[in-house]
């Protein structure tokens, strides 16, 4: 009898990106949650003169309708995170099974799925989203659906290559010998072993979706004004950049960029953590 | 332990892989027939690329043969109904080459060992499954596995024994061992070999032992089949293969790995020449290009695997066969003409 | 090689059909009747029904799709109701401006990414490490900042605060006259005709949108160059080349050759990303290209125009992907030998 002693103990590796990213995301979520407490004014009601520069009364100034920018900036993540979050989740739920199927199904089926994905990806992301939303209208469910559709191919692609790689691993053969049916191999072994890159990609997609939502809202095809949303705010204030009223544009843009950076850090952190784990194994 | 009951049999197995972007095929396995008796260990030896792993994968049902049949307990693999298929899955198991890679890194090893019971609905409850998985682990000499132990917590030999436990948990009748010791250190190798030997002694399981390590073969195998470029070129009882070694390839193989004694090398052929591509196999004997005794007649037709005069010793070499027959005849004649 | 090209081209046909089909579906999504949209809300129901019949809108969708395809083959993308022109003409007139903006930006991006990436990949000293940090922070920022926001910041800084740049409206100042139209690209046309005043004015107008696109889009390619070169430099054959005392110039050449295929792929994909990136940039700088046309189409519910832009943008992307595959086959001996695709 050999008694098994762990040959390595799980040690906490340094992963500042993950730490900082998660902290920042937590702060942003908290801001969204506590927006009514943090906001100094009603985000969608006129609260002063138009285009006031930042002051003690209006910390970040007012926009051209006289709405308080600080209050709108703290309310915005409610809309942006909801849209991007649900859209990303749906995209992954749509793309992952499709990609796993394409990677696991032999020959013609897999080839057909991946060539179809090629075509869907040939449609420029932003133009397609803008076009779809222009046609169906920028209600929140529509925006979520469009985010899911334009992002799903990314997950299908990712899962396709993950499946292809993992299929050659012996533990997949072992699972089949153990009596797993294809569905059980995919759900029980391939998806769990792909979780890390999927999560990393989801974090990236979240950030990109926020930018996408802002972009379509900027041209008026997304979230409708006067909803507090960063892209709407930037679009509304854009004229001021030619005449010197920078604050309606600059502050929502900074808030948006910081949010995207936070998710990018989380994504990098997940990738690093995964590398650290596989190096240990 | 060996008796006459046949557990598994494969007949005229062929597997060709299409070459991408061309009409040609890789002839990985050509016309391989093997029979496995209960409690018997058959070693399948050959260089990498000889098709031995492909044979193992076909027997396991992981790869469909291009043609040929695999028969488990009287029923062909492709004619099984649901219940027979399940019995086959439970009865034919495998231990793979890379101990770390053959265990799902994300799962506790206990879950991997339990998986066949769970998937094949052979456990009465989750608890029963766990208990039996623990018992299987103990049977291969692993104590101290907890429900949280993961593959990266274990050494290579411990992982390989987890793999053996997983193969044993369904009480199979047949196990494919695909180079189970090649990734291990010498001491770990000995440990794993001992486990395998003990298991066979106590359960009467049959092994297909796929390897290129002839030293390992000698210690465990009852019969040996030598593969070269997709074909079995010699098959016999282990002692006969090592002792009589009729096929020139077997001779060369033994010469390349066995015995670190330079004097003994003389008796063996040394491999020269190029291995033909499995895509464009020559018309005759595939070994002719490297063979010291090949003649023109070897290059016209593939030599069939024929029973040598000694019972059970098959060889696919027209020269050696005739030479052996001549010897046999000569000795008979000598006896008859004193 | 020719076999590979043949297979790749054969694949193009179903892909083209699929693109046309998706674009056809888009119009099926539009709310309300197309006939009603054409006739206006005051038209009688009978008139609408008659037009629907005439347009074949009551036919089963396969028949409608075949008719749509037939139209496409004749170059008929429908008529824009805002401009009153055939959509194909509208787009053809605006495309050179867009392609010029994208291509100039792309060229700058590639040169910058290669220079900085190679320098970073080879710098093993303190300077290299500082460069690493800077490029990390830059990549994070460039990936997080929306392009349209950054473009507006540039306008604010370089036009309003420090009035260095010309008014960021249009492609050139019409006070200098209008250039002769040869290709439609003001840059090429003014160079060809030697129209220096307009050329200078055009360059003045070109610089801000190009800078905006370059800042946002250089980061991913730069990182790719850096990591590919870094990977190549740590590989065994480079170590061998170093050990054999080959000159640095040769080593750079070796590393670059094996780092090239992934860089080409990403660069190609990024060219198609610029098509989308140009949409908002054009709008902000009133560039008058296809991107701005698309935004106007969205804002005025001009579906035929929008459908045309989407279709042609997808076609362009598909052609770029085809080019990537072929270039790949040409520079990567493994692909060349196996006859496989990506």
């Amino acid at each position: 009898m050999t008694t098994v002693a762990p040959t390595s103990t799980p040690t906490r590796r340094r992963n500042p990106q993950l730490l900082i990213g998660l902290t920042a995301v937590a702060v942003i979520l908290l801001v969204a949650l506590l927006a009514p407490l943090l906001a100094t004014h009603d985000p969608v009601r006129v609260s002063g003169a138009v285009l006031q520069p930042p002051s003690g009364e209006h910390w970040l100034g007012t926009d051209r309708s006289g709405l308080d920018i600080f209050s709108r900036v703290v309310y915005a993540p409610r809309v942006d995170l909801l849209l991007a979050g649900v859209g990303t989740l749906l995209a992954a739920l749509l793309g992952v099974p499709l990609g796993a199927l394409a990677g696991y199904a032999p020959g013609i089926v897999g080839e057909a799925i991946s060539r179809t994905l090629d075509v869907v990806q040939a449609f420029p992301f932003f133009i397609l989203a803008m076009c779809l939303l222009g046609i169906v209208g920028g209600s929140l469910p529509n925006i979520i659906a469009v985010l899911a559709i334009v992002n799903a191919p990314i997950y299908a692609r990712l899962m396709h290559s993950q499946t292809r790689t993992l299929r050659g691993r012996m533990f997949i053969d072992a699972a089949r010998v153990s009596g797993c049916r294809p569905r059980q191999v995919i759900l029980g072994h391939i998806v769990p072993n792909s979780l890390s890159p999927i999560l990393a990609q989801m974090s990236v997609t979240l950030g990109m979706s926020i930018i996408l939502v802002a972009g379509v809202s900027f041209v008026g095809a997304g979230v409708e004004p006067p909803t507090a949303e960063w892209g709407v705010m930037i679009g509304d204030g854009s004229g001021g950049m030619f005449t010197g009223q920078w604050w309606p544009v600059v502050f929502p843009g900074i808030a948006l960029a910081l949010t995207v950076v936070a998710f990018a850090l989380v994504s990098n952190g997940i990738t690093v953590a995964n590398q650290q784990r596989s190096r240990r194994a | 332990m060996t008796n006459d009951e046949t557990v598994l049999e494969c007949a005229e197995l062929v597997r060709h892989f299409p070459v991408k972007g061309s009409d040609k095929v890789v002839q990985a396995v050509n016309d391989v027939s093997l029979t496995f008796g209960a409690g018997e260990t058959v070693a399948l030896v050959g260089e990498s690329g000889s098709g031995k792993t492909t044979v193992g994968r076909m027997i396991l049902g992981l790869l469909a043969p291009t043609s040929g049949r695999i028969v488990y307990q009287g029923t062909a693999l492709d004619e099984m109904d649901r219940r027979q298929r399940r019995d086959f899955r439970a009865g034919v198991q495998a231990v793979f080459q890379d101990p770390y890679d053959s265990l799902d890194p994300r799962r506790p090893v206990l879950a991997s060992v339990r998986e066949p019971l769970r998937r094949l609905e052979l456990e009465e409850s989750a608890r029963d499954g766990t208990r039996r998985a623990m018992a299987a682990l103990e049977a291969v000499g692993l104590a101290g596995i907890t429900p949280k132990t993961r593959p990266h917590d274990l050494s290579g030999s411990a992982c390989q024994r987890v793999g053996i436990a997983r193969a044993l948990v369904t009480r199979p009748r047949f196990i494919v061992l695909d180079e189970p010791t090649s990734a291990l250190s010498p001491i770990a190798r000995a440990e794993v070999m001992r486990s395998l030997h003990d298991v066979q002694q106590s359960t009467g399981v049959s092994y297909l032992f796929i390897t290129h390590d002839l030293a390992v073969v000698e210690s465990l195998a009852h019969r040996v089949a030598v593969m070269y470029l997709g074909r079995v070129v010699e098959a016999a009882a282990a002692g006969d293969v090592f002792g009589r070694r009729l096929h020139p390839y077997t001779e060369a193989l033994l010469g390349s790995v066995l015995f670190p004694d330079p004097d003994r090398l003389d008796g063996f052929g040394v491999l020269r020449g190029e291995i033909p591509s499995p895509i464009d196999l020559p018309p005759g004997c595939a070994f002719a290009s490297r063979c010291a005794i090949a003649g023109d007649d070897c290059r016209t037709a593939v030599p069939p695997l024929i029973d040598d005069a000694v019972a059970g010793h098959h060889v696919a070499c027209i020269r050696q066969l005739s030479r052996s027959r001549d010897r046999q005849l000569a000795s008979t004649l000598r006896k008859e003409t004193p | 090689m020719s076999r590979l090209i043949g297979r790749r081209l054969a694949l193009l046909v179903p892909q083209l059909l699929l693109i046309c089909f998706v674009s056809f579906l888009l119009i099926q999504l539009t709310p309300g009747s197309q006939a009603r949209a054409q006739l206006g809300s005051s038209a009688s129901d009978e008139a609408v029904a008659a037009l629907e019949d005439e347009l074949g809108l009551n036919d089963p969708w396969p028949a409608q799709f075949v008719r749509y395809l037939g139209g496409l083959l004749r170059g008929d993308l429908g008529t824009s109701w805002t401009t009153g022109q055939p959509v194909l003409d509208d787009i053809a007139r605006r495309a050179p401006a867009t392609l010029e903006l994208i291509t100039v930006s792309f060229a700058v991006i590639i040169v910058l990414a290669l220079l900085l990436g190679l320098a970073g990949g080879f710098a093993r000293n303190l300077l290299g490490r500082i460069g690493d940090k800077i490029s990390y922070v830059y990549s994070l920022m460039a990936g997080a900042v929306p392009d349209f926001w950054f473009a507006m910041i540039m306008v604010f800084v370089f036009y309003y605060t420090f009035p260095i740049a010309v008014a960021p409206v249009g492609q050139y100042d019409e006070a200098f006259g209008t250039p002769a139209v040869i290709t439609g690209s003001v840059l090429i046309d003014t160079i060809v005709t030697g129209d220096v005043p307009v050329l200078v004015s055009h360059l003045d107008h070109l610089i801000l949108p190009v800078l905006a696109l370059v800042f946002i889009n250089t980061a991913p390619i730069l990182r790719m160059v850096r990591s590919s070169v870094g990977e190549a430099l740590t590989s065994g054959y480079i170590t061998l080349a170093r050990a054999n005392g080959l000159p640095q110039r040769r080593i750079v050449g070796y590393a670059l050759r094996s780092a090239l295929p992934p860089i080409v792929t990403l660069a190609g994909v990024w060219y198609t990303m610029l098509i989308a990136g140009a949409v908002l940039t054009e709008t902000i700088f009133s560039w008058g290209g296809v991107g701005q046309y698309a935004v106007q189409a969205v804002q005025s519910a001009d579906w035929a125009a929008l459908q045309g832009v989407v279709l042609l943008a997808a076609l362009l992307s598909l052609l770029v992907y085809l080019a990537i595959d072929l270039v790949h086959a040409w520079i990567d001996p493994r692909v060349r030998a196996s006859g496989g695709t990506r």
Side-chain angles (χ1 to χ4, degrees), chain A residues 152-170:
Chain A
I154 298 174
Y155 291 89
R157 269 285 165 77
L158 176 70
M159 203 53 209
H160 180 250
S161 73
Q162 279 286 322
T163 309
R164 282 292 182 83
T165 314
L166 289 171
R167 243 175 64 160
R169 301 277 297 271
M170 282 177 205

PDB file of all heavy atoms in Angstrom, chain A residues 152-170:
ATOM      1  N   ALA A 152     -22.282  35.588 -30.610  1.00  0.00           N
ATOM      2  CA  ALA A 152     -22.308  34.125 -30.524  1.00  0.00           C
ATOM      3  C   ALA A 152     -21.235  33.440 -31.380  1.00  0.00           C
ATOM      4  O   ALA A 152     -20.613  32.472 -30.929  1.00  0.00           O
ATOM      5  CB  ALA A 152     -23.695  33.599 -30.885  1.00  0.00           C
ATOM      6  N   PRO A 153     -20.973  33.921 -32.619  1.00  0.00           N
ATOM      7  CA  PRO A 153     -19.949  33.237 -33.416  1.00  0.00           C
ATOM      8  C   PRO A 153     -18.586  33.185 -32.729  1.00  0.00           C
ATOM      9  O   PRO A 153     -17.834  32.222 -32.911  1.00  0.00           O
ATOM     10  CB  PRO A 153     -19.880  34.075 -34.699  1.00  0.00           C
ATOM     11  CG  PRO A 153     -21.205  34.709 -34.810  1.00  0.00           C
ATOM     12  CD  PRO A 153     -21.636  34.987 -33.400  1.00  0.00           C
ATOM     13  N   ILE A 154     -18.269  34.193 -31.925  1.00  0.00           N
ATOM     14  CA  ILE A 154     -16.975  34.185 -31.233  1.00  0.00           C
ATOM     15  C   ILE A 154     -16.893  32.958 -30.322  1.00  0.00           C
ATOM     16  O   ILE A 154     -15.871  32.258 -30.280  1.00  0.00           O
ATOM     17  CB  ILE A 154     -16.806  35.469 -30.397  1.00  0.00           C
ATOM     18  CG1 ILE A 154     -16.827  36.688 -31.309  1.00  0.00           C
ATOM     19  CG2 ILE A 154     -15.535  35.415 -29.579  1.00  0.00           C
ATOM     20  CD1 ILE A 154     -16.819  38.002 -30.559  1.00  0.00           C
ATOM     21  N   TYR A 155     -17.993  32.683 -29.614  1.00  0.00           N
ATOM     22  CA  TYR A 155     -17.986  31.546 -28.685  1.00  0.00           C
ATOM     23  C   TYR A 155     -17.993  30.229 -29.432  1.00  0.00           C
ATOM     24  O   TYR A 155     -17.370  29.260 -29.017  1.00  0.00           O
ATOM     25  CB  TYR A 155     -19.174  31.652 -27.720  1.00  0.00           C
ATOM     26  CG  TYR A 155     -18.973  32.799 -26.798  1.00  0.00           C
ATOM     27  CD1 TYR A 155     -19.422  34.059 -27.128  1.00  0.00           C
ATOM     28  CD2 TYR A 155     -18.226  32.646 -25.641  1.00  0.00           C
ATOM     29  CE1 TYR A 155     -19.165  35.144 -26.328  1.00  0.00           C
ATOM     30  CE2 TYR A 155     -17.963  33.722 -24.833  1.00  0.00           C
ATOM     31  CZ  TYR A 155     -18.432  34.968 -25.174  1.00  0.00           C
ATOM     32  OH  TYR A 155     -18.151  36.033 -24.392  1.00  0.00           O
ATOM     33  N   ALA A 156     -18.720  30.227 -30.556  1.00  0.00           N
ATOM     34  CA  ALA A 156     -18.739  29.004 -31.356  1.00  0.00           C
ATOM     35  C   ALA A 156     -17.329  28.709 -31.854  1.00  0.00           C
ATOM     36  O   ALA A 156     -16.848  27.579 -31.792  1.00  0.00           O
ATOM     37  CB  ALA A 156     -19.714  29.165 -32.514  1.00  0.00           C
ATOM     38  N   ARG A 157     -16.641  29.738 -32.337  1.00  0.00           N
ATOM     39  CA  ARG A 157     -15.273  29.587 -32.805  1.00  0.00           C
ATOM     40  C   ARG A 157     -14.361  29.054 -31.695  1.00  0.00           C
ATOM     41  O   ARG A 157     -13.618  28.094 -31.868  1.00  0.00           O
ATOM     42  CB  ARG A 157     -14.725  30.954 -33.240  1.00  0.00           C
ATOM     43  CG  ARG A 157     -14.938  31.242 -34.658  1.00  0.00           C
ATOM     44  CD  ARG A 157     -13.943  30.412 -35.474  1.00  0.00           C
ATOM     45  NE  ARG A 157     -14.347  30.396 -36.864  1.00  0.00           N
ATOM     46  CZ  ARG A 157     -14.154  31.413 -37.681  1.00  0.00           C
ATOM     47  NH1 ARG A 157     -13.575  32.504 -37.248  1.00  0.00           N
ATOM     48  NH2 ARG A 157     -14.544  31.335 -38.925  1.00  0.00           N
ATOM     49  N   LEU A 158     -14.443  29.736 -30.555  1.00  0.00           N
ATOM     50  CA  LEU A 158     -13.597  29.377 -29.413  1.00  0.00           C
ATOM     51  C   LEU A 158     -13.834  27.932 -29.004  1.00  0.00           C
ATOM     52  O   LEU A 158     -12.911  27.135 -28.825  1.00  0.00           O
ATOM     53  CB  LEU A 158     -13.913  30.319 -28.250  1.00  0.00           C
ATOM     54  CG  LEU A 158     -13.208  30.045 -26.932  1.00  0.00           C
ATOM     55  CD1 LEU A 158     -11.736  30.379 -27.078  1.00  0.00           C
ATOM     56  CD2 LEU A 158     -13.805  30.890 -25.821  1.00  0.00           C
ATOM     57  N   MET A 159     -15.112  27.581 -28.898  1.00  0.00           N
ATOM     58  CA  MET A 159     -15.465  26.242 -28.428  1.00  0.00           C
ATOM     59  C   MET A 159     -15.101  25.203 -29.481  1.00  0.00           C
ATOM     60  O   MET A 159     -14.725  24.077 -29.149  1.00  0.00           O
ATOM     61  CB  MET A 159     -16.977  26.222 -28.162  1.00  0.00           C
ATOM     62  CG  MET A 159     -17.415  25.175 -27.200  1.00  0.00           C
ATOM     63  SD  MET A 159     -16.507  25.245 -25.665  1.00  0.00           S
ATOM     64  CE  MET A 159     -16.622  23.528 -25.233  1.00  0.00           C
ATOM     65  N   HIS A 160     -15.199  25.597 -30.731  1.00  0.00           N
ATOM     66  CA  HIS A 160     -14.831  24.692 -31.819  1.00  0.00           C
ATOM     67  C   HIS A 160     -13.361  24.304 -31.692  1.00  0.00           C
ATOM     68  O   HIS A 160     -13.006  23.122 -31.708  1.00  0.00           O
ATOM     69  CB  HIS A 160     -15.100  25.391 -33.150  1.00  0.00           C
ATOM     70  CG  HIS A 160     -14.760  24.563 -34.351  1.00  0.00           C
ATOM     71  ND1 HIS A 160     -13.701  24.850 -35.155  1.00  0.00           N
ATOM     72  CD2 HIS A 160     -15.315  23.443 -34.851  1.00  0.00           C
ATOM     73  CE1 HIS A 160     -13.630  23.948 -36.117  1.00  0.00           C
ATOM     74  NE2 HIS A 160     -14.596  23.092 -35.953  1.00  0.00           N
ATOM     75  N   SER A 161     -12.502  25.298 -31.505  1.00  0.00           N
ATOM     76  CA  SER A 161     -11.076  24.960 -31.445  1.00  0.00           C
ATOM     77  C   SER A 161     -10.752  24.253 -30.129  1.00  0.00           C
ATOM     78  O   SER A 161      -9.927  23.337 -30.102  1.00  0.00           O
ATOM     79  CB  SER A 161     -10.213  26.210 -31.634  1.00  0.00           C
ATOM     80  OG  SER A 161     -10.263  27.016 -30.501  1.00  0.00           O
ATOM     81  N   GLN A 162     -11.424  24.640 -29.049  1.00  0.00           N
ATOM     82  CA  GLN A 162     -11.219  23.938 -27.777  1.00  0.00           C
ATOM     83  C   GLN A 162     -11.569  22.448 -27.923  1.00  0.00           C
ATOM     84  O   GLN A 162     -10.835  21.578 -27.487  1.00  0.00           O
ATOM     85  CB  GLN A 162     -12.125  24.541 -26.693  1.00  0.00           C
ATOM     86  CG  GLN A 162     -11.578  25.809 -26.070  1.00  0.00           C
ATOM     87  CD  GLN A 162     -10.427  25.505 -25.142  1.00  0.00           C
ATOM     88  OE1 GLN A 162     -10.420  24.510 -24.433  1.00  0.00           O
ATOM     89  NE2 GLN A 162      -9.414  26.344 -25.155  1.00  0.00           N
ATOM     90  N   THR A 163     -12.705  22.213 -28.542  1.00  0.00           N
ATOM     91  CA  THR A 163     -13.161  20.827 -28.696  1.00  0.00           C
ATOM     92  C   THR A 163     -12.183  20.031 -29.543  1.00  0.00           C
ATOM     93  O   THR A 163     -11.838  18.895 -29.218  1.00  0.00           O
ATOM     94  CB  THR A 163     -14.553  20.811 -29.350  1.00  0.00           C
ATOM     95  OG1 THR A 163     -15.394  21.703 -28.629  1.00  0.00           O
ATOM     96  CG2 THR A 163     -15.156  19.429 -29.313  1.00  0.00           C
ATOM     97  N   ARG A 164     -11.732  20.665 -30.635  1.00  0.00           N
ATOM     98  CA  ARG A 164     -10.782  19.983 -31.504  1.00  0.00           C
ATOM     99  C   ARG A 164      -9.520  19.602 -30.729  1.00  0.00           C
ATOM    100  O   ARG A 164      -8.984  18.505 -30.868  1.00  0.00           O
ATOM    101  CB  ARG A 164     -10.392  20.888 -32.674  1.00  0.00           C
ATOM    102  CG  ARG A 164     -11.444  20.930 -33.757  1.00  0.00           C
ATOM    103  CD  ARG A 164     -11.504  19.567 -34.433  1.00  0.00           C
ATOM    104  NE  ARG A 164     -12.471  19.544 -35.511  1.00  0.00           N
ATOM    105  CZ  ARG A 164     -12.211  19.978 -36.740  1.00  0.00           C
ATOM    106  NH1 ARG A 164     -11.045  20.474 -37.030  1.00  0.00           N
ATOM    107  NH2 ARG A 164     -13.140  19.913 -37.658  1.00  0.00           N
ATOM    108  N   THR A 165      -9.027  20.537 -29.928  1.00  0.00           N
ATOM    109  CA  THR A 165      -7.807  20.276 -29.163  1.00  0.00           C
ATOM    110  C   THR A 165      -8.044  19.183 -28.127  1.00  0.00           C
ATOM    111  O   THR A 165      -7.269  18.230 -28.020  1.00  0.00           O
ATOM    112  CB  THR A 165      -7.359  21.558 -28.433  1.00  0.00           C
ATOM    113  OG1 THR A 165      -7.419  22.636 -29.347  1.00  0.00           O
ATOM    114  CG2 THR A 165      -5.954  21.415 -27.898  1.00  0.00           C
ATOM    115  N   LEU A 166      -9.132  19.332 -27.364  1.00  0.00           N
ATOM    116  CA  LEU A 166      -9.368  18.398 -26.267  1.00  0.00           C
ATOM    117  C   LEU A 166      -9.677  16.993 -26.778  1.00  0.00           C
ATOM    118  O   LEU A 166      -9.371  16.003 -26.120  1.00  0.00           O
ATOM    119  CB  LEU A 166     -10.527  18.901 -25.393  1.00  0.00           C
ATOM    120  CG  LEU A 166     -10.196  20.133 -24.555  1.00  0.00           C
ATOM    121  CD1 LEU A 166     -11.451  20.689 -23.901  1.00  0.00           C
ATOM    122  CD2 LEU A 166      -9.174  19.785 -23.488  1.00  0.00           C
ATOM    123  N   ARG A 167     -10.285  16.920 -27.960  1.00  0.00           N
ATOM    124  CA  ARG A 167     -10.655  15.608 -28.494  1.00  0.00           C
ATOM    125  C   ARG A 167      -9.467  14.684 -28.643  1.00  0.00           C
ATOM    126  O   ARG A 167      -9.599  13.467 -28.574  1.00  0.00           O
ATOM    127  CB  ARG A 167     -11.319  15.784 -29.860  1.00  0.00           C
ATOM    128  CG  ARG A 167     -12.729  15.311 -29.871  1.00  0.00           C
ATOM    129  CD  ARG A 167     -13.355  15.609 -31.188  1.00  0.00           C
ATOM    130  NE  ARG A 167     -12.699  14.889 -32.266  1.00  0.00           N
ATOM    131  CZ  ARG A 167     -13.272  14.662 -33.446  1.00  0.00           C
ATOM    132  NH1 ARG A 167     -14.477  15.105 -33.673  1.00  0.00           N
ATOM    133  NH2 ARG A 167     -12.644  14.014 -34.377  1.00  0.00           N
ATOM    134  N   GLY A 168      -8.295  15.273 -28.861  1.00  0.00           N
ATOM    135  CA  GLY A 168      -7.106  14.438 -29.005  1.00  0.00           C
ATOM    136  C   GLY A 168      -6.519  13.994 -27.674  1.00  0.00           C
ATOM    137  O   GLY A 168      -5.584  13.200 -27.640  1.00  0.00           O
ATOM    138  N   ARG A 169      -7.064  14.506 -26.579  1.00  0.00           N
ATOM    139  CA  ARG A 169      -6.506  14.170 -25.265  1.00  0.00           C
ATOM    140  C   ARG A 169      -7.004  12.798 -24.838  1.00  0.00           C
ATOM    141  O   ARG A 169      -8.102  12.365 -25.159  1.00  0.00           O
ATOM    142  CB  ARG A 169      -6.946  15.213 -24.222  1.00  0.00           C
ATOM    143  CG  ARG A 169      -6.521  16.629 -24.552  1.00  0.00           C
ATOM    144  CD  ARG A 169      -5.103  16.927 -24.126  1.00  0.00           C
ATOM    145  NE  ARG A 169      -4.928  16.841 -22.687  1.00  0.00           N
ATOM    146  CZ  ARG A 169      -5.111  17.863 -21.855  1.00  0.00           C
ATOM    147  NH1 ARG A 169      -5.497  19.024 -22.310  1.00  0.00           N
ATOM    148  NH2 ARG A 169      -4.901  17.704 -20.555  1.00  0.00           N
ATOM    149  N   MET A 170      -6.154  12.088 -24.076  1.00  0.00           N
ATOM    150  CA  MET A 170      -6.500  10.717 -23.718  1.00  0.00           C
ATOM    151  C   MET A 170      -7.676  10.646 -22.753  1.00  0.00           C
ATOM    152  O   MET A 170      -8.405   9.665 -22.740  1.00  0.00           O
ATOM    153  CB  MET A 170      -5.293  10.030 -23.097  1.00  0.00           C
ATOM    154  CG  MET A 170      -4.294   9.610 -24.147  1.00  0.00           C
ATOM    155  SD  MET A 170      -2.850   8.890 -23.381  1.00  0.00           S
ATOM    156  CE  MET A 170      -1.653   9.204 -24.654  1.00  0.00           C
TER     157      MET A 170
END
